[in-house]
């Protein structure tokens, strides 16, 4: 046997406890064939040598919860992501509207929900710059929308409109809509009126987004929100021999209304993806939203919100319906992937998994609870007991303005002090994986690693970290992005560590992460990414 490529000239961290580091790695075809001296022995005159130049080679990373398609589409509109105040958002809307007189709708995603006091956004501000066309903006978490009066008129929201199931139309004192729409029950009827981009445009966006993910060292993603029409876009993206820069698992969305009738569609979509995914796509997961988000007061809580004692938030499913739906998709062989943020949302999600296991019997199901912001102490041990993977977005575990200005005032100090219990769940024996939820927050794992290890803002605050008992070590954080996501993907025997016989999914960093000050990890350059031995960055 000869090696097609040998990596040498730097530190190689395998992620394998049995052989954690080496100085050479050989790749033949799409597989790792040898390490160390055995790798060098496979070199011949045709072998390519990749000089690590004093940097490091590691297992590539996965993103266990991301939105490559809807995130990329949403960022094509008004550029509001980097606006630092309401005036900046309004000005961006005005400029974009002037530059695009042909656009029927004006949309934009990912502005910060703390820009308005209490997260309350007034249609009048948008009306002042665009009175005659509908405007719909979404916050970075996609759980809150800001609509102008024309958008509200088109969807038919008035003072007489009843509150939608699974959503909230925030109102003025006279009952008329303010312009702030919370959760999908209120947002989806408006979104349904927005014309979708052409198929070719969506495919181009998807290919561009996956290339950007590869440039961050990522080779596998869990698209955590795939609606039926979006299956066609993913399939078109890999048609005619096109190879994406990442492999993807598609999480097929199941919403409460009419879920039983949707089950055959899920099965049919899975079959289409398996047949047409060209070995690049899979569809093991079904996505549920158990609740909303704390910053909007829509995450489901066991006890009332501190700032709104009459509210426990929004549970998108009843406990019984969620249990029945999770049991049904589990019986069909799917993996449940459940957005669960509030402690009540987490509890009903765990209860649903427990019900599915009891009704359907033992199997290798690997359910995922995503975000897991607030867990009641009684529920912490249930993750390990039920084999539930806790998928965290580590960049959220810091005292940024979202936390200090919106979340903490809503839930108070006691609950505020037990958020994102990454270390506690690891100590309990639970499996964890990391993701980004991009476009909510940055998709670069290097930034997430720094936050997971320090629990600090990029400015290094607070000293010692926020809730420092929940900091984890760098090796644990790296594993959460590599072997942790591979386990979530049911592919731990194929990638996630560097071992002979495993797929050559690799990332080359300009510096050894173990030698870089943790606070500087986010600035470390990704020099190369390989997916199955094929260079994607």
């Amino acid at each position: 046997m000869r090696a097609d490529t040998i990596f040498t000239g730097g530190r190689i961290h395998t992620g394998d406890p049995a052989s954690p580091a080496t100085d050479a790695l050989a790749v033949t075809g799409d597989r790792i064939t040898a390490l160390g001296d055995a790798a060098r022995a496979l070199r011949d005159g045709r072998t390519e040598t990749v000089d690590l130049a004093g940097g490091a080679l590691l297992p590539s990373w996965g993103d266990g919860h991301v939105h490559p398609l809807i995130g990329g589409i949403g960022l094509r509109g008004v550029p509001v992501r980097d606006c630092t105040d309401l005036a900046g958002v309004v000005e961006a809307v005005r400029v974009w509207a002037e530059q695009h007189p042909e656009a029927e709708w004006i949309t934009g995603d990912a502005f910060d929900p703390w820009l308005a006091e209490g997260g309350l956004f007034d249609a009048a501000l948008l009306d002042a710059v665009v009175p005659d066309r509908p405007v719909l903006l979404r916050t970075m978490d996609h759980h809150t929308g800001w609509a102008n009066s024309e958008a509200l008129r088109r969807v038919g929201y008035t003072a007489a409109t009843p509150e939608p199931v699974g959503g909230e139309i925030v109102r003025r004192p006279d009952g008329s809509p303010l312009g702030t729409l919370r959760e999908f029950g209120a947002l989806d009827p408006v979104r349904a009126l927005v014309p979708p981009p052409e198929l070719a445009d969506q495919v181009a966006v998807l290919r561009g987004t996956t290339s950007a993910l590869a440039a961050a060292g990522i080779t596998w993603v869990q698209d955590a929100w795939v609606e039926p029409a979006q299956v066609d876009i993913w399939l078109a993206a890999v048609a005619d021999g096109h190879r994406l820069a990442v492999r993807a698992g598609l999480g097929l969305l199941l919403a409460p209304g009419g879920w039983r009738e949707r089950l055959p569609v899920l099965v049919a979509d899975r079959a289409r993806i398996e047949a047409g995914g060209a070995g690049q796509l899979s569809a093991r997961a079904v996505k549920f939203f158990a609740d909303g988000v704390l910053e909007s007061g829509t995450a489901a809580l066991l006890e009332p919100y501190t700032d709104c004692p009459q509210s426990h938030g929004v549970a998108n499913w009843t406990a019984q319906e969620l249990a029945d739906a999770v049991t049904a998709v589990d019986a069909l062989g799917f993996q449940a992937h459940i957005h669960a943020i509030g402690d009540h949302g987490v509890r009903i999600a765990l209860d649903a998994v427990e019900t599915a296991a009891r009704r359907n019997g033992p199997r290798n199901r690997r359910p995922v609870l995503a975000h897991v912001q607030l867990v009641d102490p009684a529920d912490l041990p249930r993750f390990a007991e039920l084999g539930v993977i806790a998928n965290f977005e580590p960049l959220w575990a810091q005292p940024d303005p979202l936390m200090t200005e919106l979340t903490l005032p809503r839930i108070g100090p006691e609950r505020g002090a037990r958020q994102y219990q990454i270390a506690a769940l690891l100590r309990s024996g639970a499996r964890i994986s990391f993701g980004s939820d991009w476009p909510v927050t940055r998709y670069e794992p290097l930034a997430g690693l720094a936050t997971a290890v320090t629990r600090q803002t990029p400015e290094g605050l607070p000293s010692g970290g926020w809730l420092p008992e929940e900091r984890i070590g760098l090796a644990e954080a790296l594993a959460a992005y590599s072997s942790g996501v591979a386990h979530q993907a049911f592919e731990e025997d194929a990638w996630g560590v560097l071992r002979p016989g495993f797929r050559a999914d690799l990332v080359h960093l300009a510096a050894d992460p173990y030698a870089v000050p943790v606070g500087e990890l986010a600035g470390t350059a990704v020099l190369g990414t390989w997916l199955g031995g094929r260079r994607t960055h």
Side-chain angles (χ1 to χ4, degrees):
M1 180 188 295
R2 57 171 290 275
D4 295 326
T5 308
I6 287 181
F7 296 81
T8 189
R11 191 72 166 164
I12 299 175
H13 296 285
T14 67
D16 184 349
S19 179
T22 187
D23 60 355
L25 179 144
V27 173
T28 303
D30 66 348
R31 297 286 155 175
I32 298 168
T33 44
L35 302 174
D37 289 340
R40 280 185 285 270
L42 298 181
R43 180 189 282 124
D44 68 12
R46 294 172 294 166
T47 299
E48 175 192 5
T49 297
V50 175
D51 182 4
L52 299 175
L57 190 72
L58 294 88
S60 64
W61 296 311
D63 191 316
H65 188 103
V66 66
H67 304 288
L69 180 55
I70 64 172
I73 298 287
L75 295 179
R76 293 172 74 241
V78 182
V80 295
R81 185 179 183 88
D82 296 324
C83 293
T84 57
D85 55 31
L86 283 182
V89 175
V90 172
E91 176 63 9
V93 169
R94 183 192 68 79
V95 170
W96 197 92
E98 286 185 358
Q99 293 174 343
H100 297 83
E102 79 291 349
E104 178 187 354
W105 278 76
I106 295 157
T107 62
D109 276 3
F111 71 96
D112 293 328
W114 60 82
L115 296 184
E117 184 175 355
L120 300 174
F121 299 91
D122 196 323
L125 294 174
L126 298 175
D127 295 343
V129 293
V130 184
D132 56 344
R133 285 185 283 169
V135 178
L136 178 64
L137 310 177
R138 289 190 294 182
T139 53
M140 47 83 119
D141 58 20
H142 282 197
H143 287 260
T144 296
W146 184 8
N148 73 344
S149 294
E150 178 60 17
L152 296 171
R153 185 192 69 79
R154 291 200 184 191
V155 77
Y157 287 166
T158 69
T161 303
E163 281 300 284
V165 175
E168 178 188 6
I169 303 168
V170 178
R171 301 174 189 269
R172 303 182 193 277
D174 65 0
S176 61
L178 174 67
T180 301
L181 306 174
R182 291 175 173 162
E183 292 305 323
F184 307 121
L187 273 168
D188 285 352
V190 189
R191 288 181 55 238
L193 301 178
V194 181
E198 296 294 329
L199 175 64
D201 292 338
Q202 296 190 67
V203 169
V205 165
L206 184 55
R207 289 174 175 171
T209 301
T210 53
S211 293
L213 291 162
I218 294 168
T219 56
W220 188 89
V221 297
Q222 175 68 69
D223 186 331
W225 184 345
V226 178
E227 300 181 25
Q230 294 162 348
V231 172
D232 295 325
I233 298 161
W234 275 103
L235 290 173
V238 299
D240 302 321
H242 185 90
R243 293 194 292 178
L244 293 174
V246 301
R247 297 167 63 253
L250 309 188
L252 306 176
L253 180 67
L254 189 63
W259 67 265
R260 289 175 175 82
E261 292 73 25
R262 280 269 300 136
L263 295 177
V265 179
L266 297 179
V267 174
D269 281 345
R270 177 173 59 186
R272 287 201 298 139
I273 292 161
E274 289 174 352
Q280 302 177 66
L281 308 178
S282 60
R284 295 184 179 92
V286 170
K287 169 67 178 295
F288 299 84
F289 282 95
D291 62 351
V293 292
L294 287 170
E295 60 266 23
S296 295
T298 55
L301 298 181
L302 294 170
E303 300 297 331
Y305 278 85
T306 301
D307 69 333
C308 189
Q310 69 273 23
S311 174
H312 286 74
V314 177
N316 293 320
W317 298 74
T318 67
Q320 186 62 57
E321 279 288 280
L322 182 61
D324 289 345
V326 169
T327 299
V329 301
D330 179 79
L332 294 170
F334 285 105
Q335 174 191 44
H337 188 112
I338 310 173
H339 164 116
I341 283 186
D343 51 8
H344 178 66
V346 169
R347 177 163 294 175
I348 65 172
L350 291 170
D351 289 348
V353 169
E354 186 172 15
T355 298
R358 184 176 65 252
R359 292 181 185 173
N360 295 336
R363 78 176 187 89
N364 187 14
R365 47 180 48 89
R366 302 189 192 183
V368 178
L369 264 61
H371 315 315
V372 195
Q373 185 165 353
L374 188 63
V375 182
D376 187 81
D379 289 323
L380 271 173
R382 300 179 68 199
F383 283 80
E385 291 165 3
L386 295 170
V388 173
I389 300 165
N391 173 263
F392 287 101
E393 285 55 57
L395 273 174
W396 300 5
Q398 59 173 299
D400 59 7
L402 184 73
M403 180 62 63
T404 59
E405 296 183 24
L406 289 180
T407 301
L408 288 174
R410 291 199 192 282
I411 63 174
E414 188 277 325
R415 289 180 293 194
R418 50 184 177 88
Q419 296 183 81
Y420 303 120
Q421 294 179 275
I422 302 174
L425 278 165
L426 272 175
R427 288 192 299 268
S428 77
R431 294 269 194 168
I432 69 167
S433 67
F434 278 173
S436 66
D437 206 12
W438 183 85
V440 176
T441 39
R442 294 173 58 179
Y443 52 71
E444 295 90 346
L446 284 163
L449 288 169
T451 308
V453 174
T454 67
R455 305 276 291 206
Q456 293 175 326
T457 67
E459 297 75 30
L461 299 173
S463 176
W466 174 69
L467 310 181
E469 67 277 7
E470 294 300 337
R471 294 177 302 183
I472 63 173
L474 179 57
E476 293 169 314
L478 285 165
Y481 273 120
S482 53
S483 57
V485 178
H487 175 80
Q488 176 184 323
F490 291 85
E491 295 182 355
E492 71 275 16
D493 293 330
W495 63 278
V497 297
L498 305 184
R499 183 183 295 162
F502 275 46
R503 197 167 57 234
D505 292 357
L506 317 167
V507 59
H508 175 200
L509 303 181
D512 184 343
Y514 290 94
V516 174
V518 176
E520 299 175 15
L521 275 173
T524 304
V526 175
L527 300 182
T529 308
W530 288 261
L531 171 59
R534 172 174 63 96
R535 189 161 195 158
T536 55
H537 166 64

